[in-house]
Amino acid sequence: AVYLLYKFHFTQGELGNYFAFVGIWIVITQGFITRKVAKYFNESKVVQNSVIAVGLCILGVVLVPSTTLLYMVVPFFAIAVGLSQSNITALISRSADAGVQGEVLGINGSVMALAQAIPPILSGAAAGLFEPQAPLLIASALAVIAGLYFNNHLRNLRLTHS
């Protein structure tokens, strides 16, 4: 929201409309697209691509010069986020033994909550110390690095088990 105010001079109503549009696309992703993608690709393959796509979409938000293009990034961003979150949870669920699956998913829920609490605090500091787009650039870089790390980790697992 801070970045949208800074770059596009959004009003409160425009911010609300923007985030409502994001929410609609998240619902579409979780209600329809995730199910369709799961028919054709396993969780690992989806995460390999979707986490990097999240980072690139965040970078897209920073680079677009107009609100029209900003709104065009939203579906891709929402799809990438929706696919990442659901498939990461599925991977965690499948990797845990049946006896500890609930415990592992509970820990995952706690980590996810923490991961959603800390960045807003750090983002405010980064935006204040540097520029309003700094948190988005950091988030973009971290998402791409996480995706590349995950891809490398999978490659190493395949080599180890070959």
Side-chain angles (χ1 to χ4, degrees):
V2 170
Y3 179 70
L4 297 176
L5 289 168
Y6 168 77
K7 183 169 184 178
F8 299 110
H9 310 288
F10 274 18
T11 64
Q12 285 183 330
E14 289 169 329
L15 282 173
N17 290 339
Y18 175 78
F19 287 112
F21 187 66
V22 172
I24 289 167
W25 273 100
I26 289 172
V27 168
I28 291 169
T29 300
Q30 292 179 348
F32 304 103
I33 296 172
T34 300
R35 223 174 287 149
K36 294 283 186 194
V37 169
K39 290 181 182 179
Y40 300 102
F41 302 101
N42 65 31
E43 293 94 355
S44 295
K45 187 56 87 179
V46 174
V47 172
Q48 280 181 281
N49 297 301
S50 63
V51 173
I52 292 172
V54 167
L56 295 176
C57 288
I58 294 169
L59 181 60
V61 168
V62 174
L63 296 178
V64 296
S66 69
T67 56
T68 302
L69 292 174
L70 176 69
Y71 275 89
M72 292 175 75
V73 171
V74 168
F76 299 102
F77 177 68
I79 290 167
V81 169
L83 290 173
S84 294
Q85 289 180 343
S86 61
N87 283 282
I88 288 170
T89 301
L91 276 174
I92 291 168
S93 175
R94 286 183 191 267
S95 68
D97 292 330
V100 295
Q101 196 171 43
E103 182 179 343
V104 169
L105 288 173
I107 292 169
N108 177 59
S110 297
V111 170
M112 294 292 281
L114 190 60
Q116 291 177 358
I118 293 174
I121 296 166
L122 297 178
S123 293
L129 289 171
F130 306 109
E131 293 288 327
Q133 68 268 22
L136 295 171
L137 294 172
I138 294 166
S140 175
L142 289 174
V144 170
I145 290 167
L148 294 173
Y149 176 82
F150 182 76
N151 288 335
N152 187 52
H153 179 70
L154 283 180
R155 190 173 22 263
N156 290 340
L157 283 176
R158 286 187 202 116
L159 292 174
T160 304
H161 295 295
S162 296

